[in-house]
Amino acid sequence: MEAEIITVGTEIILGSIINTNAVYLSKKLMGMGIETHYHTSVDDDYKRLESAIKIALDRSDIIILTGGLGPTDDDLTKEAVANVINKPLVSDIDMQKYLKNYFACSNRKMTKNNLKQAMKPSESEFIPNPRGTAPGVFVEYEGKKIILMPGPPHELEPMFDEYVCNLIKDDFNIVVKSIKVSGIGESSLETDLKSLDIYMPKFTITTYASTGYIEIKIIGRGLDIDELNKTSNLIVERIKSKIGDYIFGYDNKSLEETLLNSLKLKSLKLAVCESCTGGSISKRLTSIEGASEVFDRGIVTYSNNSKIDELNVDPFLIEKYGVVSQEVAYAMTKGLLEKSGVDLVISTTGYASPVEESKNTGLVYICVMDKKNHKVYKMNFLGDRKAVVERATNFALIESLRFTNKHYN
Amino acid sequence: MEAEIITVGTEIILGSIINTNAVYLSKKLMGMGIETHYHTSVDDDYKRLESAIKIALDRSDIIILTGGLGPTDDDLTKEAVANVINKPLVSDIDMQKYLKNYFACSNRKMTKNNLKQAMKPSESEFIPNPRGTAPGVFVEYEGKKIILMPGPPHELEPMFDEYVCNLIKDDFNIVVKSIKVSGIGESSLETDLKSLDIYMPKFTITTYASTGYIEIKIIGRGLDIDELNKTSNLIVERIKSKIGDYIFGYDNKSLEETLLNSLKLKSLKLAVCESCTGGSISKRLTSIEGASEVFDRGIVTYSNNSKIDELNVDPFLIEKYGVVSQEVAYAMTKGLLEKSGVDLVISTTGYASPVEESKNTGLVYICVMDKKNHKVYKMNFLGDRKAVVERATNFALIESLRFTNKHYN
């Protein structure tokens, strides 16, 4: 079965919000063995929305539409779907009651246009929305499944997990393995991979260049889960034997989750001090549930004074070597290690944006330190402010993982 | 002119990366008065890519394709475009030389497949890529403009700004005004807006619910820039007179940029201490160029000890009232205000995830304090970990803005 995701909303088309729903749904669909081939986004325009639905019905088996189920006049998804599949929109008495009750219980004023949310195409089913007032809709049409879901991620995500996944699942299994490498270019990596006997039926192997690392994804799809697992393990072993030195991780998880899991296993506590990355490392780490078991504290020392106050950096070092220097990176890290009593400290100091009288934009020192060892990296990252911060953050996470893998085996 | 953005890459379709290119390009196009109506994403499959290009040529005037220009075998964008417009791919001698030179200068090994990047459809032009090896391509075909750009944002963004914008600009002007409100629901807001005489020719007025606030966007498009400005100001004034109490910002900028600009104007220095938001506020603020003029430091106190060490919170308060309490929020804020010497401190303490023996997931205390005034907010945010952090972060930024607007007029 081939899926297509249509995200509806002018705010997506204008770039006002990022289309995270397509990301969430694609990942979930892949995990269920359903391939997604197209994402379409369209603004809140009835004609264009209708046309996008027609194109999707022509090429995909499962069509998930998100957004445009709200109470306002520019919410048109149900209207467009009903028209394309030639079913009238009808108001559902039970849903009317539910909505009236919902507003009464949550002490909110119900306006007349909220009743729009009790409408659905005839012969379709509502999908419950425990987190909001816009229910989802499920329609089968000419052997295709059409799912309408609300746009807000905190409503869409549980609705998918609790209801929609059961409406669309099939018998296929999917196995996904991931190998993360850094220190090798994408074309060299591809040349290396091509020299190996790893291209098997039912499997696709692709490389994705992320910021500062490359992910090799091995995806198998078939009915026999044991066979898929066996073959995928074989592929991973062959790749490992060829390019093992560049590999820093094997899971499908984010860098921050991989690092936290690794530190947790080793019972290590972590603290972070950031200058140029401005809280990005702390934010990435604390985005993971259970981070508090490993992550003790983060200090964003943006001013020179804060480096002196918070991390006991000697002002003389800043004056002599400059705030972006190996010496200051070392002193920041040591200061926090001593003060916090944790096992491992990561620090960054650098220039994320062009600085007056300096040509060193992108110069970042990253230090990783425990009570016995430390390493300071001097890097020149390319790109604008955002790119430098992202590259430095990823580099710090990757090298902390390598550091702890080396010293705590 | 109507634009369509086609992002090519299995990594987008699988949800491995977020489609930030579509966001960047849509914003830029809107700023140039060019309306985008569709975003399409398609995986690295030749047939599907071809079909997406045909559909786009049928409905849009400007088609921007991103991704699939790399050296590997699954980079197929040039091939697909060349085939759809029926032009052969030819290798460009100058580009071959440029690439050989580029690799020689940057001390990187050039593999045979890198030469793929010297190919372009006949009668097309290369677009320079100063940040990478994949040049862009510009083709005109049956009155339509087709632009091919590399996928990595740090290559795409400068290429758009320096070259592509000149290839596609027209004579229309666009004026965008933004009004940000919080404390009012979307349907009540729409009812209020509908009661006003603000719906004018050449203008569209839409509301977008973001996390914790709603943005009203007033977009005018036409030839006469003065008329557009005059009308848009009139619309803003009428909205202001009706719902002024809910408004906290008027610019098209992000919350963090609005707050930093406001503090800079008032010559106020800011520090942040975060527990449950885990560095999210610091990261958002430091993502803005020039943040260091306002933002002094951020402390992420994830453990109880770090709150005691870093912010001089009395352990007795934590024991008596719990770490998520009005008293601890106040003490954290006061501790940092006294220690750092800044003018304004924002703090957060709360439960972002379900906690043992606690039903209070989403309970967050936010405190804003200067040397004379303070305010502690007790909030119950809905949603998962990510949603709670985002809501708390936005709430903190919005209320800091209201706080400083009130006390520093």
Side-chain angles (χ1 to χ4, degrees):
Chain A
M1 282 198 298
E2 299 188 10
E4 171 156 359
I5 298 164
I6 303 179
T7 40
V8 184
T10 305
E11 65 275 30
I12 292 166
I13 289 294
L14 291 183
S16 298
I17 62 167
I18 290 172
N19 190 357
T20 55
N21 286 340
V23 173
Y24 186 84
L25 293 171
S26 299
K27 277 190 185 168
K28 288 285 176 170
L29 291 167
M30 187 181 70
M32 296 170 65
I34 297 169
E35 287 179 58
T36 306
H37 289 149
Y38 293 98
H39 294 173
T40 305
S41 300
V42 57
D43 60 347
D44 298 311
D45 175 89
Y46 187 80
K47 285 254 166 269
R48 284 189 284 270
L49 176 52
E50 234 186 41
S51 140
I53 296 166
K54 281 180 192 160
I55 289 170
L57 275 171
D58 205 44
R59 66 189 180 189
S60 306
D61 307 309
I62 298 171
I63 296 125
I64 302 184
L65 292 112
T66 79
L69 299 185
T72 66
D73 287 351
D74 55 6
D75 290 309
L76 297 165
T77 307
K78 283 194 285 200
E79 288 76 356
V81 168
N83 202 37
V84 170
I85 65 171
N86 209 12
K87 305 272 181 201
L89 274 182
V90 289
S91 188
D92 186 273
I93 304 284
D94 290 339
M95 188 54 71
Q96 285 184 20
K97 282 184 196 154
Y98 171 83
L99 288 170
K100 281 174 187 162
N101 189 40
Y102 183 98
F103 276 90
C105 289
S106 60
N107 244 336
R108 284 167 59 192
K109 201 176 115 193
M110 183 164 177
T111 59
K112 200 183 148 201
N113 44 15
N114 281 112
L115 276 177
K116 246 184 83 173
Q117 300 185 304
M119 308 285 280
K120 65 177 173 66
S122 67
E123 295 169 54
S124 69
E125 289 168 37
F126 276 125
I127 306 169
N129 180 355
R131 314 289 170 95
T133 57
V137 176
F138 174 56
V139 204
E140 288 192 275
Y141 174 73
E142 295 185 351
K144 315 242 166 177
K145 293 178 175 182
I146 309 174
I147 317 274
L148 286 70
M149 300 175 80
H154 71 275
E155 298 180 23
L156 173 134
E157 294 175 7
M159 185 185 282
F160 186 91
D161 295 346
E162 289 165 35
Y163 301 102
V164 175
C165 62
N166 293 316
L167 297 170
I168 58 174
K169 68 181 173 201
D170 69 9
D171 296 333
F172 277 85
N173 287 297
I174 202 155
V175 167
V176 182
K177 299 271 173 176
S178 164
I179 300 178
K180 292 196 186 112
V181 299
S182 71
I184 182 172
E186 198 179 5
S187 27
S188 301
L189 177 64
E190 189 172 79
T191 307
D192 280 349
L193 293 179
K194 274 191 190 152
S195 73
L196 295 170
D197 180 22
I198 52 172
Y199 297 90
M200 320 267 187
K202 297 182 194 159
F203 276 83
T204 52
I205 298 171
T206 37
T207 56
Y208 306 123
S210 280
T211 309
Y213 66 98
I214 301 172
E215 188 170 4
I216 306 165
K217 267 217 191 315
I218 299 132
I219 302 171
R221 185 171 188 271
L223 292 170
D224 184 346
I225 183 80
D226 293 333
E227 186 206 324
L228 291 175
N229 277 325
K230 209 176 125 189
T231 311
S232 64
N233 287 334
L234 182 72
I235 294 171
V236 169
E237 281 310 312
R238 288 184 181 167
I239 294 174
K240 193 175 163 183
S241 69
K242 177 83 182 176
I243 55 154
D245 287 351
Y246 300 108
I247 298 175
F248 66 86
Y250 287 98
D251 58 21
N252 292 309
K253 296 181 170 59
S254 62
L255 295 178
E256 47 273 27
E257 191 164 1
T258 306
L259 177 61
L260 285 174
N261 289 344
S262 164
L263 295 177
K264 198 172 153 186
L265 272 175
K266 300 174 167 84
S267 300
L268 299 174
K269 290 269 182 192
L270 173 70
V272 175
C273 47
E274 308 183 58
S275 185
C276 64
T277 50
S280 174
I281 302 177
S282 293
K283 189 206 146 59
R284 290 269 294 272
L285 291 165
T286 59
S287 72
I288 305 300
E289 189 114 23
S292 59
E293 291 172 55
V294 170
F295 180 76
D296 181 76
R297 72 190 72 179
I299 317 278
V300 184
T301 50
Y302 229 52
S303 63
N304 286 358
N305 268 346
S306 65
K307 290 181 185 72
I308 299 162
D309 290 358
E310 303 287 349
L311 306 170
N312 296 319
V313 174
D314 186 342
F316 168 78
L317 284 179
I318 297 178
E319 204 181 310
K320 181 164 178 198
Y321 300 104
V323 71
V324 176
S325 62
Q326 184 175 326
E327 290 75 11
V328 170
Y330 178 88
M332 286 169 66
T333 326
K334 198 162 191 320
L336 185 56
L337 189 74
E338 284 171 359
K339 170 191 191 186
S340 65
V342 300
D343 306 293
L344 190 78
V345 170
I346 310 173
S347 74
T348 62
T349 178
Y351 301 117
S353 288
V355 193
E356 245 179 294
E357 295 171 48
S358 161
K359 305 253 179 230
N360 294 328
T361 309
L363 173 68
V364 181
Y365 290 89
I366 293 139
C367 182
V368 186
M369 188 183 286
D370 67 7
K371 279 156 194 158
K372 287 188 190 155
N373 305 285
H374 77 274
K375 197 160 178 182
V376 184
Y377 307 84
K378 180 185 179 179
M379 300 299 295
N380 276 292
F381 296 114
L382 289 177
D384 61 4
R385 185 180 183 87
K386 206 176 122 200
V388 170
V389 170
E390 196 186 344
R391 281 170 193 278
T393 301
N394 284 349
F395 185 90
L397 295 170
I398 291 170
E399 294 307 325
S400 303
L401 195 59
R402 284 202 212 272
F403 183 94
T404 47
N405 285 343
K406 185 178 165 191
H407 296 296
Y408 301 82
N409 233 330
Chain B
M1 283 198 298
E2 300 189 10
E4 170 155 0
I5 297 164
I6 303 179
T7 41
V8 184
T10 305
E11 65 274 32
I12 292 166
I13 288 295
L14 291 182
S16 297
I17 60 168
I18 291 173
N19 189 356
T20 54
N21 286 341
V23 173
Y24 186 84
L25 293 171
S26 300
K27 277 188 186 169
K28 288 285 173 166
L29 290 168
M30 186 180 70
M32 296 170 65
I34 296 170
E35 287 179 59
T36 306
H37 289 148
Y38 293 99
H39 293 173
T40 305
S41 300
V42 58
D43 61 347
D44 297 312
D45 176 89
Y46 187 79
K47 284 256 166 266
R48 284 189 284 270
L49 176 52
E50 235 187 38
S51 139
I53 296 166
K54 281 180 193 159
I55 289 170
L57 275 171
D58 205 45
R59 66 189 180 189
S60 305
D61 307 310
I62 297 172
I63 296 124
I64 301 184
L65 292 112
T66 79
L69 299 186
T72 67
D73 287 350
D74 55 5
D75 290 308
L76 298 165
T77 306
K78 283 193 285 200
E79 288 77 356
V81 168
N83 201 37
V84 171
I85 64 171
N86 210 12
K87 305 271 182 205
L89 273 183
V90 290
S91 187
D92 186 273
I93 305 283
D94 290 340
M95 187 53 72
Q96 286 183 20
K97 283 185 198 154
Y98 171 82
L99 287 171
K100 281 174 188 163
N101 188 43
Y102 183 98
F103 276 90
C105 288
S106 61
N107 244 335
R108 284 167 58 191
K109 201 177 115 193
M110 182 162 178
T111 59
K112 201 184 144 199
N113 45 15
N114 282 112
L115 277 178
K116 247 185 82 173
Q117 301 185 304
M119 308 283 281
K120 64 179 173 67
S122 67
E123 295 169 55
S124 69
E125 290 169 35
F126 276 126
I127 306 170
N129 180 356
R131 314 290 170 97
T133 58
V137 176
F138 174 56
V139 203
E140 289 192 275
Y141 174 73
E142 294 185 351
K144 315 242 165 175
K145 292 179 176 183
I146 308 174
I147 316 272
L148 285 70
M149 300 175 80
H154 70 275
E155 299 181 23
L156 174 134
E157 294 174 8
M159 186 184 284
F160 186 91
D161 295 346
E162 288 166 35
Y163 302 102
V164 175
C165 62
N166 294 315
L167 297 169
I168 58 174
K169 68 181 173 200
D170 69 7
D171 296 333
F172 276 86
N173 288 296
I174 201 153
V175 167
V176 182
K177 298 270 174 177
S178 163
I179 300 178
K180 293 198 185 109
V181 299
S182 73
I184 181 172
E186 198 178 4
S187 28
S188 300
L189 176 63
E190 188 170 79
T191 307
D192 279 351
L193 292 179
K194 274 193 190 149
S195 73
L196 295 170
D197 179 20
I198 53 172
Y199 297 89
M200 320 269 187
K202 298 182 195 160
F203 276 83
T204 52
I205 298 171
T206 35
T207 57
Y208 307 122
S210 282
T211 309
Y213 66 97
I214 301 170
E215 187 169 7
I216 306 165
K217 267 219 187 323
I218 299 132
I219 302 171
R221 185 171 187 270
L223 292 170
D224 183 346
I225 183 81
D226 294 333
E227 186 205 324
L228 291 175
N229 277 325
K230 208 176 129 190
T231 310
S232 64
N233 288 334
L234 182 73
I235 294 171
V236 169
E237 281 310 313
R238 286 182 182 169
I239 294 174
K240 193 176 165 182
S241 69
K242 177 84 184 180
I243 55 154
D245 287 350
Y246 300 107
I247 297 174
F248 65 87
Y250 286 99
D251 58 20
N252 292 310
K253 296 182 168 61
S254 62
L255 294 178
E256 48 273 26
E257 191 165 2
T258 306
L259 177 60
L260 285 174
N261 287 346
S262 164
L263 295 177
K264 198 172 154 186
L265 272 175
K266 299 173 167 86
S267 300
L268 299 174
K269 289 270 181 193
L270 174 70
V272 175
C273 45
E274 308 184 57
S275 185
C276 63
T277 51
S280 173
I281 301 176
S282 293
K283 189 207 147 58
R284 290 268 294 272
L285 291 165
T286 60
S287 71
I288 305 300
E289 188 115 22
S292 59
E293 291 173 55
V294 170
F295 180 75
D296 181 76
R297 72 190 73 178
I299 317 278
V300 183
T301 50
Y302 228 53
S303 64
N304 285 357
N305 268 345
S306 66
K307 290 183 185 73
I308 299 163
D309 290 357
E310 303 288 348
L311 306 170
N312 295 320
V313 173
D314 185 343
F316 169 79
L317 282 180
I318 297 179
E319 203 181 311
K320 182 165 178 197
Y321 299 104
V323 71
V324 176
S325 62
Q326 183 173 330
E327 289 76 10
V328 170
Y330 178 87
M332 287 169 66
T333 325
K334 199 163 189 321
L336 185 56
L337 189 74
E338 284 171 359
K339 171 189 190 186
S340 64
V342 301
D343 305 294
L344 190 77
V345 170
I346 310 173
S347 74
T348 63
T349 179
Y351 302 116
S353 288
V355 193
E356 244 180 295
E357 294 172 47
S358 160
K359 305 256 180 228
N360 294 329
T361 309
L363 173 68
V364 181
Y365 289 89
I366 292 138
C367 181
V368 186
M369 188 183 287
D370 67 7
K371 280 157 192 156
K372 286 187 189 155
N373 306 285
H374 77 273
K375 197 160 177 183
V376 185
Y377 307 84
K378 179 185 180 180
M379 300 300 295
N380 275 292
F381 295 114
L382 290 178
D384 62 5
R385 185 178 182 87
K386 205 177 123 200
V388 170
V389 170
E390 195 186 345
R391 281 170 193 277
T393 301
N394 284 348
F395 186 89
L397 295 171
I398 291 169
E399 295 307 324
S400 302
L401 195 59
R402 285 201 211 270
F403 184 94
T404 47
N405 285 343
K406 185 178 165 191
H407 295 297
Y408 300 82
N409 234 329

